[in-house]
Amino acid sequence: MNRILVTGGAGFIGSNFVHHLVRHTDAHLTVLDLLTYAASEASLTELPQDRVDLVVGDIAEADVVEPLVAEHDAVVHFAAESHNDNSLDDPSPFIRTNIIGTFTILEAARKSDTRLHHVSTDEVYGDLELDDPKRFTEDTPYNPSSPYSASKAGSDHLVRAWVRSFGVRATISNCSNNYGPWQHVEKFIPRQITNVIDGGRPKLYGDGLNVRDWIHADDHSSAVLRILQRGRIGETYLIGADGERNNRQVVTAILEHFGRGADEIDFVRDRAGHDRRYAIESGKLRAELGWAPRFHDFESGLADTIAWYVAHEDWGRPAKAATEAFYATKGQ
Ligand code: NAD
Ligand code: TDX
């Protein structure tokens, strides 16, 4: 695969993936990104100019998507509206980008017979109880809770149908919660790190006991590359790194890192329909494709991420004020 099109490559995980590909492959990369509020062109500026092109465009526009898909060997599809809280405020962009956008990519891949990898989330499976020994597997029934996760579930179903009905050469991955550099300050970990950097307090929704299964974005990237190179067409692979922590444990680790008291937390209004727990069983990916995460220890990955936000304090600054103003209107 010499030419790879990365949709959403100016976003958090997409840009980490582009960096990963520049380090670990010889491929030429084209990023197709609408540069919404969630994108950061700065995440791509340090990359070699001869390896990466940026095309600013909408994945829901067939005129933009079809010629681009046709001239690449593979498409890795990250572009999405990605934030649950925004989807509760206004679901419409989630339907357009996540469903119509994925449909547009699929039609383009069908017409040009281009290999496609579709990036999705474990949230399509709904949630688990805190005391449930089960984790999500590739056989867990779909049961999404929010407009965001329902739109991602819809996109996964479209991909499966295009594989079965039209023979599109696609794979799907469903990954757990990512952390790492370049994540927008609206998301849990960067929001709390930047609150503490600013001398404020972390904001925990509800009782703070909801569990997420954390994975570093670079480990997500290595898993997606492995599936792109060796995954079986039509298969779904779950990606996770055994990183279950409740939200309170995460903010306690952040506060301790800055030498602040573990009780310096604001408990704020809970998210509507807030999923209780996500947990991934990634045995299929590990056994079939020999993948393993590089960051075994969430706390050391978190320390690296905190160091990155301290070193790049100016980067998230313009978005921080608008993000906090949005949360304030919701009592969060
Ligand atoms: P993000 O919001 O940081 O980035 C999304 C990118 O897509 C942005 O650069 C944005 O400009 C672009 N985009 C949005 N609408 C577009 C459109 N219509 N056309 C072209 N580009 C558009 O998201 P992220 O957290 O990096 O997530 C990337 C993908 O990974 C998503 O598909 C998401 O569902 C999936 N995922 C995320 C996580 C996570 O923890 N963040 C976990 C599992 C799966
Ligand atoms: O200020 C906060 N306080 C808080 O307690 C925020 C922003 C979040 N939370 C909680 C809600 C969740 O239990 O933290 C947890 C993580 O929240 P988010 O960062 O919003 O992530 P989540 O809703 O779990 O979804 C993320 O992982 C799956 C990504 O945003 C999705 O794109 C991905 O599919």
Side-chain angles (χ1 to χ4, degrees):
M1 288 175 199
N2 293 323
R3 292 179 58 80
I4 300 178
L5 179 66
V6 182
T7 74
F12 162 46
I13 307 171
S15 63
N16 274 277
F17 181 72
V18 169
H19 281 261
H20 188 87
L21 256 54
V22 166
R23 283 197 303 273
H24 296 284
T25 73
D26 296 324
H28 181 275
L29 309 171
T30 307
V31 168
L32 170 59
D33 199 298
L34 189 57
L35 300 183
T36 70
Y37 82 97
S40 167
E41 267 189 276
S43 65
L44 302 174
T45 49
E46 287 158 20
L47 292 164
Q49 305 273 309
D50 58 335
R51 291 286 307 279
V52 185
D53 290 327
L54 171 64
V55 176
V56 179
D58 186 345
I59 58 159
E61 298 284 347
D63 293 355
V64 174
V65 168
E66 288 187 2
L68 271 176
V69 169
E71 66 193 33
H72 287 81
D73 302 315
V75 182
V76 183
H77 175 35
F78 289 94
E81 285 291 334
S82 68
H83 192 37
N84 274 301
D85 290 322
N86 291 345
S87 82
L88 295 164
D89 195 52
D90 177 11
S92 63
F94 290 75
I95 305 306
R96 176 177 160 80
T97 290
N98 300 359
I99 297 184
I100 308 291
T102 301
F103 160 72
T104 308
I105 300 274
L106 280 166
E107 283 291 85
R110 174 160 83 106
K111 287 176 186 160
S112 53
D113 188 28
T114 305
R115 169 83 169 90
L116 170 67
H117 180 73
H118 174 63
V119 176
S120 191
T121 168
D122 60 356
E123 297 193 15
V124 299
Y125 301 116
D127 63 351
L128 299 161
E129 296 298 328
L130 294 182
D131 59 358
D132 190 338
K134 282 203 298 288
R135 297 191 285 170
F136 299 136
T137 72
E138 288 78 5
D139 298 322
T140 303
Y142 275 52
N143 187 27
S145 311
S146 74
Y148 163 67
S149 50
S151 69
K152 292 297 292 189
S155 70
D156 293 7
H157 289 312
L158 292 176
V159 176
R160 289 175 181 207
W162 261 242
V163 169
R164 177 159 172 165
S165 300
F166 303 124
V168 167
R169 295 183 294 124
T171 42
I172 299 175
S173 56
N174 297 84
C175 188
S176 61
N177 283 61
N178 285 224
Y179 69 96
W182 306 111
Q183 187 170 30
H184 194 280
V185 294
E186 70 189 355
K187 301 293 191 332
F188 178 57
I189 288 181
R191 184 182 186 204
Q192 313 317 336
I193 294 171
T194 50
N195 279 352
V196 176
I197 288 174
D198 287 349
R201 293 157 71 107
K203 313 279 184 204
L204 276 182
Y205 294 172
D207 61 11
L209 299 180
N210 301 61
V211 170
R212 297 295 182 263
D213 190 352
W214 294 99
I215 181 172
H216 195 280
D218 192 55
D219 283 331
H220 186 181
S221 297
S222 69
V224 167
L225 178 58
R226 186 64 61 92
I227 297 165
L228 186 68
Q229 290 171 330
R230 298 197 214 155
R232 284 183 292 138
I233 298 303
E235 292 291 314
T236 289
Y237 296 90
L238 263 55
I239 305 173
D242 302 327
E244 279 187 72
R245 298 287 184 284
N246 72 38
N247 295 335
R248 186 154 191 165
Q249 289 172 304
V250 175
V251 296
T252 300
I254 295 171
L255 285 165
E256 278 173 359
H257 186 98
F258 286 97
R260 296 266 300 269
D263 58 350
E264 292 183 47
I265 295 169
D266 290 339
F267 287 89
V268 297
R269 200 162 68 113
D270 206 357
R271 173 183 285 171
H274 194 177
D275 280 339
R276 198 57 167 158
R277 172 176 160 248
Y278 306 137
I280 287 268
E281 160 57 66
S282 57
K284 175 178 173 182
L285 174 66
R286 292 170 193 241
E288 199 177 289
L289 303 185
W291 173 83
R294 190 165 63 89
F295 289 87
H296 291 287
D297 171 16
F298 170 70
E299 280 67 28
S300 69
L302 180 64
D304 286 358
T305 303
I306 293 172
W308 188 90
Y309 278 92
V310 170
H312 294 77
E313 217 194 296
D314 291 344
W315 170 74
R317 191 60 62 194
K320 180 71 178 167
T323 300
E324 291 306 323
F326 168 72
Y327 281 126
T329 65
K330 294 154 61 82
Q332 293 179 322

